[in-house]
Amino acid sequence: MYIPNNFRISDQQEAIDFIKRYSFGTLITTENGLPIATHVPFTIKQRDEQLILNSHISLANPQSKTLLNERVLVIFTEPHAYISPIHYEKELSVPTWNYLAVHAYGKVELIEDEQAKLVMLEEMIRFYNDIVYLEQWTKLPLDFKAKMAKGITAFNIVVDDLQGQKKLSQNKTPFEKENIINTLGKSTDTNEREIAAYMAKESGR
């Protein structure tokens, strides 16, 4: 990912915290030079100081056959917002877009053991704090769970490169940033309010 220096997320923990919050990612692999993508939720954990992304896709999904081809990419992005030049002091200005994004590269480890798949599914339920369904899950028949496990391709991604960008008008004047924060902070759009909150935090407010 192209990242200008003043937009780079240099703190790895900050990037990890971001993907924990916005954990619905885009999994990208290639086959014969053609990119293939699937949108899936991930759980995020660390193992022996390595960052591990865990998820699963349908066994019927053709992408399941490409996971071991080479390194994979997962993109996590959101929130984002259009930034109008009306917030700037100079009339000779153009629109832009503020956003946060993290790209995670790594190699896939397949989870093939049936019991390990069931543990992974339960971990995902816990990660998304669905306590009510967790109680229901524990009571489901084992043969039903086993059938579900047979229908998925479960995997870990061992991340070897984590790249993060937060484009939050860091290159604008304090006056311009305040204009943007105040306007977006009052918006009815959730994305715009979240960008305003990130901008305020970045500005030390």
Side-chain angles (χ1 to χ4, degrees):
M1 172 166 54
Y2 168 65
I3 311 174
N5 286 334
N6 54 340
F7 299 151
R8 185 178 303 278
I9 298 177
S10 54
D11 182 348
Q12 178 162 300
Q13 189 57 52
E14 183 180 1
I16 293 171
D17 291 342
F18 177 82
I19 62 178
K20 284 182 177 179
R21 181 176 181 182
Y22 301 102
S23 54
F24 190 72
T26 304
L27 170 68
I28 301 171
T29 61
T30 59
E31 184 175 29
N32 299 323
L34 178 67
I36 306 171
T38 300
H39 307 277
V40 287
F42 286 85
T43 59
I44 296 93
K45 53 189 174 182
Q46 290 176 278
R47 182 182 69 194
D48 299 329
E49 300 185 355
Q50 287 184 312
L51 179 64
I52 307 296
L53 304 180
N54 174 261
S55 192
H56 61 278
I57 58 178
S58 170
L59 186 63
N61 184 337
Q63 190 176 22
S64 65
K65 297 180 176 62
T66 70
L67 292 174
L68 298 179
N69 284 359
E70 51 189 282
R71 291 169 76 219
V72 303
L73 165 64
V74 184
I75 297 176
F76 300 93
T77 181
E78 201 168 339
H80 55 86
Y82 172 82
I83 306 300
S84 170
I86 63 171
H87 301 297
Y88 302 153
E89 297 176 271
K90 294 181 180 179
E91 186 175 340
L92 294 177
S93 300
V94 295
T96 190
W97 210 275
N98 278 3
Y99 63 93
L100 293 91
V102 172
H103 289 192
Y105 295 85
K107 296 286 287 185
V108 167
E109 298 174 340
L110 293 181
I111 301 172
E112 300 182 291
D113 178 75
E114 183 178 296
Q115 186 57 40
K117 286 184 180 182
L118 294 179
V119 170
M120 179 272 300
L121 291 171
E122 184 170 317
E123 285 180 348
M124 181 162 283
I125 296 168
R126 291 181 184 277
F127 183 83
Y128 287 98
N129 202 32
D130 193 349
I131 303 303
V132 175
Y133 180 66
L134 181 61
E135 294 178 4
Q136 180 179 329
W137 167 264
T138 59
K139 298 174 184 176
L140 293 176
L142 185 57
D143 60 342
F144 174 84
K145 294 180 181 180
K147 184 177 180 180
M148 180 182 295
K150 286 185 174 70
I152 63 173
T153 300
F155 56 90
N156 290 319
I157 298 173
V158 182
V159 176
D160 56 38
D161 187 11
L162 194 65
Q163 303 175 9
Q165 178 167 193
K166 50 182 177 181
K167 185 175 178 296
L168 300 171
S169 300
Q170 294 96 322
N171 56 338
K172 302 303 178 185
T173 68
F175 176 81
E176 291 169 336
K177 285 187 279 191
E178 280 299 309
N179 280 347
I180 298 168
I181 291 169
N182 290 335
T183 299
L184 298 189
K186 298 172 185 175
S187 173
T188 58
D189 183 273
T190 302
N191 268 306
E192 293 184 347
R193 292 198 307 272
E194 289 189 15
I195 284 294
Y198 271 109
M199 288 182 65
K201 182 179 180 181
E202 187 73 13
S203 299
R205 283 178 45 178

